[in-house]
Amino acid sequence: MATTRTAHTVWEGNLLQGSGNVTFDSSGIGTQPVSWPSRAEQANGKTSPEELIAAAHSSCFSMALSHGLAGAGNPPTRLETKADVTFQPGEGITGIHLTVRGEVPGIDAEAFAEAAEGAKKNCPVSQALTGTTITLTAELV
């Protein structure tokens, strides 16, 4: 069964001086402010499209990796994934770097790195972002 998740943004003003609020409709978790300075300079308590992509990518990747490891007979005890999404004004999103640290009983570092590469390739968010260079660092702890 397909699912659809929804968010909406209300923006007021021009790009540089304007601002907006993004609301997470499906989950009801709230509304967050967005602005050009929070995107291109310092966050200052506001979010950005790149932070939202980072949240989506890190959670999707973690789910895909957990599923792949469990399917291979090595369910993880814990996975911690960070996604760094780089935005360059005038160019756009120039890259995403995933860093995962995993506690996985019964697996070696090489097998963990291989599973992480598979998750990077196959997670639906990675697939949606195929126009962006995605790199990965995987560490077994």
Side-chain angles (χ1 to χ4, degrees), residues 20-105:
N21 288 293
V22 58
T23 300
F24 300 91
D25 299 315
S26 300
S27 64
I29 61 172
T31 299
Q32 296 297 315
V34 294
S35 69
W36 177 255
S38 70
R39 184 178 194 184
E41 299 166 15
Q42 295 299 314
N44 292 322
K46 297 179 178 146
T47 193
S48 68
E50 291 72 30
E51 184 177 38
L52 299 172
I53 290 169
H57 206 176
S58 66
S59 59
C60 182
F61 172 86
S62 293
M63 290 179 198
L65 181 53
S66 176
H67 181 67
L69 289 165
N74 298 100
T77 302
R78 184 172 197 274
L79 299 172
E80 182 179 333
T81 303
K82 180 173 99 170
D84 295 306
V85 177
T86 302
F87 173 73
Q88 178 63 49
E91 290 181 49
I93 295 173
T94 58
I96 300 171
H97 185 75
L98 297 170
T99 303
V100 61
R101 293 174 42 102
E103 295 173 23
V104 187

Side-chain angles (χ1 to χ4, degrees), residues 118-135:
K120 180 186 90 167
K121 178 182 175 187
N122 295 311
C123 110
V125 172
S126 290
Q127 291 177 349
L129 298 171
T130 56
T132 302
T133 301
I134 301 169
T135 56

